[in-house]
Structures are given as C-alpha cells and as structure tokens.
Amino acid sequence: MLVLGIESSCDETGVALYDTERGLVGNQLHTQMAMHAEYGGVVPELASRDHIRRLVPLTQACLAEAGKNYADIDAVAYTQGPGLGGALLAGTAYANALAFALGKPVVPVHHLEGHLLSPLLAEDQPAFPFVALLVSGGHTQFMAVRGIGDYTLLGESVDDAAGEAFDKTAKLLGLPYPGGAKLSELAKAGEAGRFEFPRPMLHSGDLQMSFSGLKTSVLTAVEKARAEYGNRLPEDVRNSICRAFQEAVVEVLTAKAKAALLQTGFRRLVVAGGVGANWQLRQALSQLRVRPAPKAPAEAVQTYFPPLSLCTDNGAMIAFAGAMRVRDAETAAAFSVRPRWPLTEICS
Ligand code: KG4
Ligand code: ZN
C-alpha cells in the first residue's frame, strides 16, 4: 500500500510517500524559515499562502523521486491538527481534493502522533515501550509510548516550549530568528558557571516543566550586563549567558527524563523535535543512567536521536502515521481542521 503524507501545520510544507512493503520511497520538504525570518517569527497568513504554492510541485517531485504516478497512491494522509488554522486548511483541502479526484480514502493524522512515531522510520528503531521526549518550538512533552495509539501524557511545559524559550532568549540577545541553533553554537564558546540561572520546577515532584521564567531571568542578566558593558555585549559575556541558559534547560530536561524513565520503568528514551539537535542535550541524554532505588545499581538507558530530518516537521512522519492508521480512513468529502487537538483524544 502506498500512502501519500501531507504536512502543513506550521512553517514547513512536507510531502512524502510511504510504501508499507518498501518503507519511505519519497520525501520532499520546503521550509519557510527564510520567509518568516524577516518578521522575527512565523506569520500565519504568509505561511498558509506559501503552503498553497508549494503543495502541488512538492507532490510532483515526490512522485518523481519514488518513480510513481498519482494513480499508484492508495490513500492520502494529512495533518488535521494541531497547528495554525489557515496552514492546516491548506494541506487539508489539498489532501481531500486530491483523494476525491483519485477516488481514494483520506486519513486524518494528529501531528504529535506523527512526531511520536517518526523514530520508527529511522534505521536504528526503538522497540516499544519507550518514553518520548517531544521537544520543539511548539511542544515540550514526555509521553509513554506503548504501541501505535497507546500514548500517555506524562508531563509537559505549563507555559513556553523549550524551543520557544531558546528562540525568545536568542531574540533578546539580538540573534536572528529562529535563534535556538545559533544560541546553542555560541554557548559552546561560553564559560560554564560564569552566569547562573534558575532551574524552574526542577523539584516539582512531577513531570511538569516551565520555561518562561527562565527567559525573564536572562533578560534581567542581560540588562545588568548592558548597564556594565554598554548595549553591545562583549562576546565572552554574551556567549556565557547563552551557556548558562542552555545549561538550565538541559538540566531540567535531563532530570525530568530520568524521572519519566523511573516512573514508567522503561529504559528506552526517544528524543524528537528540533531542540533534539542541541549538542548539550544530546550529550546529557546519551549518558543517562537511572537508579531505581537509592542503593540499587545504576541502570543503562538506551537513548535514540532520530536523524534531524525526521525530528523536525516533515511529511514522512505523516505518511507513516497514516499508513499505521489506515483503518481510520475516510471517504474524502466535507473536511475540517483541528488547530487545538489534545493527543489524548486519539488513544485507543
Ligand atoms: O521541531 P521543530 O523544527 O519545529 C516545531 O517547533 O514544530 O523545532 C524548532 C525549534 C525551534 O524553536 C528552534 O530554535 C529549536 O527547535 N532548535 C534548537 C536547536 N536547533 C533547533 N534549540 C536548541 N538547540 C539547537 N541546536
Ligand atoms: Zn511539529
């Protein structure tokens, strides 16, 4: 069975073909990052219009890459939500129209299920069950994943997502959007321990997190440093602020990941989402060990970092999740999008 996957929930247009016999046979992506950079953030209306422009050429390129024709498609999967309403509508309308024209069924997919299942597309696949840390610009969540459709939300950020905190902190340091990756680069040259920021909710006793206060602490430190050094901070000061911010985020995520593994009893951790590219987070999570009781021996954890192309938004994860959920296929007809859609609603 050949499933076409359409992703358009935010600022990436993704189109992919997943063959249930042969795996991923086509995967095309267009990122709008450069277009939104001018505005310092995603402009929803521009995002929707650009998705409309890209969907047809990307589908044609994807079919060409796979050596297939429209007639070979058996089902069309698309991101129904959550995401930006207009952006979702572009992909949803396209997917339904295409399926209607081809006389094939459509499979509405939950964007976060796509992320959760994306590690199964990597060469080194985790076996079920695993703890998934979904850490992107829009989400910071720990999920227990026991199988397809069997997900439990263990905890999440109560305010900003970790990636959002990276981007906002980068912005207040004067770095161009989206500044998360740049901030993490500068942190490499920073002096560890020169600045110290709080670890919000580190000891909350649950798996909830908070990152918006951290950004405020950085702002206070930046203002203080500017009063001392002038508006343009010396590089070593700026880099050390980046380092301290990153260390605070990484420490919270690592401690909560440990707690999630202990709570579930699982020993596999999968990291998905753009912040999974962060070098310090990768370092900390790949060395993770857990001690189930104070005097028990430390146990190894297998940590999986799927390739970044599968971590960030893409059509492949939607085609794959669609193939796994083909039993939920519908006849293309009237459609709707779900900009706000809790993942718990799709658990069986
Ligand atoms: O998963 P993603 O591509 O998009 C969604 O948010 O859905 O994640 C993008 C986020 C942005 O906030 C970006 O700043 C952050 O991931 N990011 C990073 C790094 N690379 C990307 N954050 C920290 N360190 C990085 N190296
Ligand atoms: Zn996403």
Side-chain angles (χ1 to χ4, degrees), residues 49-115:
R49 285 166 189 253
D50 199 63
H51 287 307
I52 293 169
R53 252 194 310 270
R54 307 284 172 185
L55 282 161
V56 173
L58 284 174
T59 306
Q60 283 165 346
C62 189
L63 286 166
E65 182 189 350
K68 300 283 183 190
N69 295 308
Y70 283 104
D72 298 319
I73 297 170
D74 296 304
V76 182
Y78 65 95
T79 304
Q80 192 185 19
L84 300 170
L88 288 168
L89 264 176
T92 300
Y94 175 67
N96 278 271
L98 181 59
F100 183 74
L102 296 173
K104 296 291 158 67
V106 282
V107 191
V109 171
H110 194 294
H111 181 79
L112 296 184
E113 179 171 43
H115 275 302

Side-chain angles (χ1 to χ4, degrees), residues 12 111 115 136-138 163-164 166-167 178-181 184 273-275 277-278 311-313:
E12 255 108 26
H111 181 79
H115 275 302
S136 68
E164 190 180 355
F166 263 93
D167 294 337
S184 125
V275 186
N278 186 273
C311 282
T312 52
D313 289 350

